[in-house]
Amino acid sequence: MVLPAEEGRLTTSSVRVLVATAVPVERDAVAEAFPGARAQVTRPGITLHRPPHGPDLLAAGVGPALAAASTAAALTAAALDGAPYALVVSAGIGGGFAPHAPVGSLVVADEITAADLGAETADGFLPVTELGFGTVTHLPPAGLVGAVAAATGARAGTVLTGSTVTGTAERAALLRARHPRALAEGMEGFGVAEAAAAHGVPVLELRAVSNPVGPRDRAAWRVGDALAALTDAFGKLAPVLTSWNPHDD
Ligand SMILES: O=C(O)c1cccc(C(=O)CC[C@H]2O[C@@H](n3cnc4c(=O)[nH]cnc43)[C@H](O)[C@@H]2O)c1
């Protein structure tokens, strides 16, 4: 249930946490792990859902650009409200690289990497860093990644972000050749991480695998199973987030 209230502060954790999903159904799957009536908090450009004992939840939009814009809006609003977030979690369903991350499994990013941010050249792909710009990778706090993996059973590895869902075996193989530690692919993690980095806030990415990365086969997607895995994971994550001390990581 959602209440149109503006009141209520995060009371579970010692740290204020923002969970950014792409779409409302993912947000609601996370919310199921935090029972009670959710307050709905509107700020410029965004609407947050706030369970009584849980993190702030944001359906930030599909793709890295909208996810970054929405996450930045939430971070800015919280800072201006005098209650900044100490952690941002990018969460949702994702593609898993077979056989390393099977459908239904969880992946926590120890590295969040933009897979398609760069230039195609005759000699292959060059990331923007080799063109002299920006960054293509963000590293979540290692201690927190380990604690999340231990609590949820998630595999830890690289999670790639792209603006285009991979749809062929050739592209999947190319991505794994470029990123041998890649376990999963999503469309938002790097955008969320860029916004968090701009605010000096650590980031985490958790993906529940709904489909294999590779040839497009919508009939094989197991979105319901992945959403259930996401709910289950956040149920186990709550005590991890509560006890996490950013200064120790
Ligand atoms: O029908 C399609 O081919 C198609 C094309 C673009 C997007 C979709 C979606 O269902 C939304 C993707 C949404 O879910 C995440 N996601 C899930 N699986 C993958 C994947 O294999 N590769 C990348 N992203 C994936 C993503 O983060 C989006 O939020 C369907």
Side-chain angles (χ1 to χ4, degrees), residues 70-155:
S70 301
T71 303
L75 285 159
T76 300
L80 292 176
D81 285 348
Y85 296 110
L87 177 69
V88 179
V89 184
S90 171
I93 64 170
F97 286 94
H100 314 286
V103 171
S105 69
L106 291 166
V107 174
V108 60
D110 59 14
E111 181 184 311
I112 299 169
T113 291
D116 56 6
L117 187 59
E120 209 68 68
T121 77
D123 298 322
F125 177 78
L126 287 180
V128 283
T129 43
E130 289 185 35
L131 304 172
F133 308 120
T135 183
V136 290
T137 290
H138 292 282
L139 299 177
L144 184 57
V145 170
V148 170
T152 64
R155 295 160 164 86

Side-chain angles (χ1 to χ4, degrees), residues 49-75:
H49 284 208
R50 181 170 289 161
H53 304 288
D56 279 2
L57 309 174
L58 173 68
V62 173
L66 183 53
S70 301
T71 303
L75 285 159

Side-chain angles (χ1 to χ4, degrees), residues 80-248:
L80 292 176
D81 285 348
Y85 296 110
L87 177 69
V88 179
V89 184
S90 171
I93 64 170
F97 286 94
H100 314 286
V103 171
S105 69
L106 291 166
V107 174
V108 60
D110 59 14
E111 181 184 311
I112 299 169
T113 291
D116 56 6
L117 187 59
E120 209 68 68
T121 77
D123 298 322
F125 177 78
L126 287 180
V128 283
T129 43
E130 289 185 35
L131 304 172
F133 308 120
T135 183
V136 290
T137 290
H138 292 282
L139 299 177
L144 184 57
V145 170
V148 170
T152 64
R155 295 160 164 86
T158 299
V159 177
L160 301 177
T161 302
S163 293
T164 305
V165 175
T166 296
T168 64
E170 291 72 24
R171 175 74 182 167
L174 183 75
L175 287 172
R176 272 285 297 188
R178 276 186 201 150
H179 308 280
R181 297 183 64 259
L183 295 182
E185 173 189 88
M187 298 176 75
E188 295 80 26
F190 184 76
V192 171
E194 285 277 77
H199 283 257
V201 176
V203 69
L204 198 63
E205 182 173 5
L206 185 65
R207 293 270 158 196
V209 176
S210 54
N211 58 282
V213 177
R216 186 174 182 219
D217 177 10
R218 285 306 298 263
W221 282 43
R222 295 288 174 266
V223 173
D225 292 349
L227 292 173
L230 206 55
T231 303
D232 189 55
F234 271 88
K236 294 170 177 162
L237 263 188
V240 175
L241 299 180
T242 305
S243 59
W244 181 61
N245 183 347
H247 305 293
D248 293 344

